[in-house]
Amino acid sequence: MRKLTIALLSLSLLLGACAPNFQQREEVVDQPKNTKEEAIIPKYKISDKYYQVILPFKPSGARGLTVNNLNTRYDINEFEMGLMRVAQNTFDPNPDKYVFREGQILKKSTVESWLARKYTKKQLAELKKKEEDNLGLNPVDEGVGDIEARNKKSPIYLAHLLEYDFLVKGDKDTYKLGGVAIGLALNSVHYYQKEKYGDTFHVNIDQQVMEREGKKIAQEVLTRLRAMDELRNVPITIALFEQASIESVVPGNFFAYTTVRQGADIDKWEKVNEKYYLFPSKDAREKYREDALAFDNFKQDVEKYFPNFNGVVGKAHYVDGQLKELNITIPIQFYGKAEGIGFTQYVTGKVMEHFPKYISVSVSVTSVNGPESLIVRKADQDAPMVHIY
C-alpha cells in the first residue's frame, strides 16, 4: 500500500509538471445572445494551426451527429479539422482577432430537419406535418415505383452540416459573435437499402453533379442563416466537402468555399485544391510518381529489417499539387523492448534519408500490445522527435 501511495503521488506530481499552465488566464465576458456570462481565454496556445478555445467549453447542440452521418472515422476527422483550416482564410487564428467555440446557433433538431429529404404535399399530410416543417435540403423521394430507379434519380447529396463560431473582442473585455463557418459534407456515393434490414446498395454521384447540387444547397443554407437574428450581419463562410466511400482508407476533402460578408447572395466560389492519397497505391503512382517511388524505397528498407514483413502504409496529404504531410503506420510484432528501440532507430534514419525536408513526416510503430514508438519530423526540421512508449 505504501508503494502504491508513493507511485500515485509521483504520478500526480509528474502530470502537474507537464500540464499547460492555465492559471495564467484572461477573464472575459462572452455575449452570444446579449446575455452576459463569465468565460476564460487561456493564454497558452499550443500551435498557430489551432484557434484558442473559449472556456468553459460548450459542446454544440448538434453534438454527436457527425459520427452518425459520415462514413468513416477518416472523414469525421478531416471534415472537422479541414473546416478549421478553410476557416483560417477568413477568420485569423490570432487570439487578438478571433477565438473559437463550437457552433451554438444551429440546434440538433434544426440540423436534422435540414438533412432530411424534402416532402411532397401528400407526405406532409400523411406525417401530419405543416409546410413550415418541410425544411429538408435533400431531393424529394415520392416513394412510388422501383426503389433502385428512385435512388438513382434522387440520391442523398447532403450528408452532414457542421457549424463553427468565431468570437471577436469588443469593449470592456467582452466577446461577441464575429463570424461563422459552415461545412457541408456531400456524398460521392449514396447508400440505400431496399428493405429495412436487407443488403446495402449504392449509387455513385458524379463529381460535377455533386458540386452543382452542393452549391445550390449552400445558397439555401445562407438564405436561412441570414434570416436568423444572430447571423444577420456577420461574415459567413460555407465550405463544400466531398465525402469518400465507406470502403476508403483515406478521407475525402474540401474542394470549394465562399465567404459572404453581407447579404444573402453567393457571388463567387474559391477553389480548395487538396487531396489525400494512399501509399502504396495505383492512383498515387500515376499522379505523383516521384513521391510514390520515395515511399516504395522507404518501405523496401523497412522490409529488409524484417524480411517477412509487409505492412507499411502511408496517408499523403497534397495541397495545390504539393506533398505537405505524410503519415505512415507500421504495425509489427516485437519480441523485446530492445528490438523495438533498435527498429525505431533504424526507421528514423530511413525517414531522414528518403523524404525531403520540406514535408512533414510522422511514423507510428504499433504492435498487438498498442503503440510502440512515434517518429515526427516536421517540415524543415533538422532532427526528428522520437518517442518510445
Side-chain angles (χ1 to χ4, degrees), residues 93-156:
N94 184 326
D96 292 333
K97 301 291 181 63
Y98 292 96
V99 295
F100 172 89
R101 75 174 183 198
E102 282 207 353
Q104 301 295 310
I105 310 299
L106 299 179
K107 305 306 178 187
K108 186 175 183 179
S109 58
T110 301
V111 174
E112 288 177 330
S113 66
W114 290 11
L115 294 177
R117 285 186 181 275
K118 198 80 171 174
Y119 296 123
T120 64
K121 291 184 178 180
K122 181 180 178 182
Q123 289 169 340
L124 281 174
E126 290 173 350
L127 294 168
K128 297 181 179 179
K129 290 179 177 289
K130 299 178 181 178
E131 184 58 43
E132 54 263 34
D133 299 324
N134 198 9
L135 300 174
L137 292 169
N138 280 301
V140 169
D141 176 11
E142 296 184 355
V144 179
D146 180 68
I147 192 169
E148 184 175 348
R150 282 160 37 205
N151 278 278
K152 285 183 178 179
K153 178 183 177 182
S154 303
I156 295 289

Side-chain angles (χ1 to χ4, degrees), residues 41 47 150 153 163 198 246-247 313 325:
I41 307 296
S47 171
R150 282 160 37 205
K153 178 183 177 182
E163 173 199 350
I246 202 166
E247 299 88 5
V313 294
E325 188 173 6

Side-chain angles (χ1 to χ4, degrees), residues 23-247:
Q23 296 304 312
Q24 296 183 4
R25 64 192 188 184
E26 177 184 354
E27 293 192 358
V28 298
V29 175
D30 176 18
Q31 295 178 305
K33 293 183 181 179
N34 297 322
T35 59
K36 294 185 178 182
E37 56 185 278
E38 185 180 86
I40 300 164
I41 307 296
K43 288 187 177 295
Y44 183 72
K45 194 168 188 287
I46 61 174
S47 171
D48 291 337
K49 292 169 58 178
Y50 306 121
Y51 290 91
Q52 283 191 308
V53 180
I54 196 166
L55 300 176
F57 179 77
K58 294 181 180 179
S60 167
R63 187 181 191 184
L65 291 182
T66 305
V67 175
N68 296 332
N69 294 336
L70 297 188
N71 288 335
T72 69
R73 62 182 178 87
Y74 306 108
D75 274 328
I76 292 169
N77 184 67
E78 181 58 24
F79 184 49
E80 293 182 346
M81 299 309 297
L83 180 58
M84 197 168 288
R85 285 199 309 273
V86 172
Q88 290 181 15
N89 293 316
T90 306
F91 308 108
D92 192 331
N94 184 326
D96 292 333
K97 301 291 181 63
Y98 292 96
V99 295
F100 172 89
R101 75 174 183 198
E102 282 207 353
Q104 301 295 310
I105 310 299
L106 299 179
K107 305 306 178 187
K108 186 175 183 179
S109 58
T110 301
V111 174
E112 288 177 330
S113 66
W114 290 11
L115 294 177
R117 285 186 181 275
K118 198 80 171 174
Y119 296 123
T120 64
K121 291 184 178 180
K122 181 180 178 182
Q123 289 169 340
L124 281 174
E126 290 173 350
L127 294 168
K128 297 181 179 179
K129 290 179 177 289
K130 299 178 181 178
E131 184 58 43
E132 54 263 34
D133 299 324
N134 198 9
L135 300 174
L137 292 169
N138 280 301
V140 169
D141 176 11
E142 296 184 355
V144 179
D146 180 68
I147 192 169
E148 184 175 348
R150 282 160 37 205
N151 278 278
K152 285 183 178 179
K153 178 183 177 182
S154 303
I156 295 289
Y157 294 113
L158 180 63
H160 190 51
L161 184 151
L162 180 65
E163 173 199 350
Y164 284 161
D165 293 346
F166 300 95
L167 309 182
V168 294
K169 198 169 187 177
D171 297 332
K172 298 181 181 179
D173 287 338
T174 61
Y175 273 76
K176 61 182 181 179
L177 186 66
V180 168
I182 301 291
L184 302 181
L186 304 169
N187 286 323
S188 61
V189 183
H190 164 57
Y191 296 96
Y192 67 96
Q193 292 176 306
K194 294 184 179 180
E195 51 191 49
K196 190 171 183 180
Y197 298 106
D199 294 335
T200 298
F201 299 86
H202 71 274
V203 175
N204 291 323
I205 299 175
D206 181 79
Q207 207 279 336
Q208 290 184 336
V209 173
M210 178 192 65
E211 182 173 346
R212 181 192 70 212
E213 296 299 322
K215 289 179 178 179
K216 284 168 58 178
I217 291 170
Q219 178 58 69
E220 177 60 27
V221 167
L222 178 63
T223 300
R224 295 182 184 186
L225 295 177
R226 286 297 190 212
M228 300 176 182
D229 290 339
E230 304 97 321
L231 304 178
R232 201 175 298 278
N233 296 305
V234 299
I236 297 176
T237 291
I238 301 179
L240 305 182
F241 179 83
E242 178 180 357
Q243 184 179 202
S245 70
I246 202 166
E247 299 88 5

Side-chain angles (χ1 to χ4, degrees), residues 368-379:
V368 292
N369 298 318
E372 296 287 346
S373 61
L374 177 66
I375 305 162
V376 177
R377 200 281 310 275
K378 294 184 178 179

